[in-house]
Amino acid sequence: MSAEQQTNTKGIDKFLNGIERVGNKLPDPAIIFLIAMITIWVLSAILSQVTFTSLDPRTGDAIVVNNLLTLEAFAQFLSSMVKTFTGFAPLGVVLVAMLGVGMAENSGYINTALKLMLKRTPKVLLTPCVILIAIISHTAVDAGYVLVIPLAGVIFFAMGRHPLVGIAAAFAGVSGGFSANFIPSGIDPLLQSFTQSAAHIIDPDLAINPLNNWFFTSASTLFIVLVGWYITDKIIEPRLKDVKIDGDTEDLPSFDEIGAQERKSFYVASTVMLVGIALLVAATVGEESAFRGTNGSLTDFSAPLMQSIVPLIFLLFWVPGIVYGFMVGTFTSTKDMVQAMTKSMNGMAYYIVMAFFCALFISAFGKSNLGALLAIEGAEVLKALALPSSITIIGIIILTGFVNLFVGSSSAKWALLGPIFVPMLMQLGISPDLTQAAYRVGDSSSNIITPLMPYFPLVVVYCQKYVKDTGIGTLIALMIPYSIVFLIGWTLFLLAYWGLGFPLGLQASYVYPG
């Protein structure tokens, strides 16, 4: 490494070390959510007295902030607290999936699978393979958060690399590369539905293909893999080389030689899994399949198959785990099975506490309407600036990234921003497809640096398995290089892709006739 490169690296390290120090001085994530919730209450009381002229695109009425400090609002808060917590979507996703994964892990099935896989994976290609798998996991909704990210830490540890490097790479692929995937997923038609509704404000006859960004998201897959590979190996791994792994070594995987019985048990258990997958595939064949949505689609969010992803993850790990455990001798009774699942839940206690306060905060933020106010007012300011087309696209990306720090749901943000951005840019001759693509870039790039994202505390828990004092600042410092490079690089990639005339999706670009 040259002297100039060393200076640059030290400069980056100083910046990230500063971020880490400041971040780790913040209160525990659970307390941050509590403080944020109280702040929302106070702001809602203040801003509820202000009259806003901007229209809420969901209702057509002027945006109104709801006061959460009234006696009625507090009574509603208390009466719905339990339901708010138990209805918190990420909580059920994580716990159900971890019950199945815990069975497979504690039986030894996953350990043996990793041993066999690592023998066939060149070490130099480990990082891009992990990022690619993380990106593909979007097809299975939130499977990447509960499956790919923790397994990436295990795999990197087994390969003699720092496990936090693997977790960071997988998190970057799952969350930072959320809009990069060559396999269509439920998010595509969901966003398209909002885009088409917004486009009808200008052109009521315009039909937008559900895969209106598919070519771009497919091309983005290669971009995210290559850029993520470079950041992981050249920035993140050197930064973590001196960070000591001080987790409980008894809970970390051991990778000795595979015995004959282990190998036989693994192949039998895997065959059971494949048979289960084959039966599932057979059950989805035909338009009348019970797993399809009302429109015959398998990938629509309303389709029973998409609603069953987490239970399927549970079964596809739980059953092979049981088969492997009894064949290899890890399990000798049903009590061992229950203990294996109980052990997997022990590590979730901290996350459950954080999820409680996170659920209350997100509920308060939604009820106050402050998220809608932030998105709409920001969009109106950008609209009033009347900037050139390419600069406006950059503005959309930056504004989306900023709003994403406070409003996590991709579809909820687009429901607010789409009706403003899409008609505005259509009148500039910019297709709704391009506007939606710009939104997706901004949304994905900032996912990995906001502790208010529901799965962010869970990733902190994954890291603490290996490095006990991992805090919010540690994870943010690891993810900032990905976020910055993704934001800048992906924006330039989109502008170049558009400028060269490449198609965004499965239809011709829209040209405003006015």
Side-chain angles (χ1 to χ4, degrees), residues 33 62 98 106 292 442:
F33 286 121
M98 289 306 295
N106 293 311
R292 294 181 180 270

Side-chain angles (χ1 to χ4, degrees), residues 102-124:
M103 178 70 80
E105 181 179 6
N106 293 311
S107 69
Y109 175 74
I110 289 180
N111 200 5
T112 300
L114 292 174
K115 290 178 188 178
L116 293 170
M117 184 192 69
L118 293 178
K119 285 186 175 182
R120 295 172 172 81
T121 303
K123 190 173 183 179
V124 70

Side-chain angles (χ1 to χ4, degrees), residues 23-43:
N24 285 341
K25 287 182 180 179
L26 294 172
D28 187 271
I31 303 303
I32 289 179
F33 286 121
L34 176 61
I35 294 172
M37 182 185 69
I38 295 173
T39 303
I40 292 301
W41 286 355
V42 174
L43 286 176

Side-chain angles (χ1 to χ4, degrees), residues 469-480:
D469 62 351
T470 299
I472 291 177
T474 305
L475 186 56
I476 291 178
L478 288 179
M479 304 317 297
I480 276 181

Side-chain angles (χ1 to χ4, degrees), residues 272-288:
V272 171
M273 177 189 284
L274 292 175
V275 169
I277 294 174
L279 291 174
L280 175 63
V281 171
T284 63
V285 174
E287 295 184 359
E288 301 302 320

Side-chain angles (χ1 to χ4, degrees), residues 2-46:
S2 67
E4 182 179 354
Q5 288 175 319
Q6 289 178 340
T7 302
N8 291 338
T9 301
K10 289 180 180 178
I12 294 173
D13 278 339
K14 286 181 180 179
F15 170 72
L16 296 178
N17 288 339
I19 294 293
E20 182 174 356
R21 283 193 298 271
V22 172
N24 285 341
K25 287 182 180 179
L26 294 172
D28 187 271
I31 303 303
I32 289 179
F33 286 121
L34 176 61
I35 294 172
M37 182 185 69
I38 295 173
T39 303
I40 292 301
W41 286 355
V42 174
L43 286 176
S44 71
I46 296 172

Side-chain angles (χ1 to χ4, degrees), residues 173-256:
V174 169
S175 196
F178 182 69
S179 288
N181 198 350
F182 57 84
I183 301 177
S185 65
I187 193 66
D188 294 300
L190 181 62
L191 293 181
Q192 171 267 343
S193 66
F194 291 115
T195 303
Q196 178 157 298
S197 297
H200 283 175
I201 297 173
I202 297 294
D203 186 349
D205 298 324
L206 179 64
I208 296 176
N209 193 294
L211 298 181
N212 62 325
N213 284 159
W214 182 60
F215 288 146
F216 173 69
T217 57
S218 296
S220 296
T221 303
L222 178 60
F223 171 81
I224 293 298
V225 168
L226 293 177
V227 172
W229 184 5
Y230 178 84
I231 295 172
T232 301
D233 290 359
K234 300 299 182 182
I235 298 178
I236 304 303
E237 190 152 31
R239 175 174 173 75
L240 290 171
K241 65 179 180 180
D242 296 323
V243 175
K244 184 180 178 181
I245 298 174
D246 57 2
D248 188 350
T249 55
E250 292 183 1
D251 290 335
L252 298 180
S254 59
F255 285 83
D256 46 1

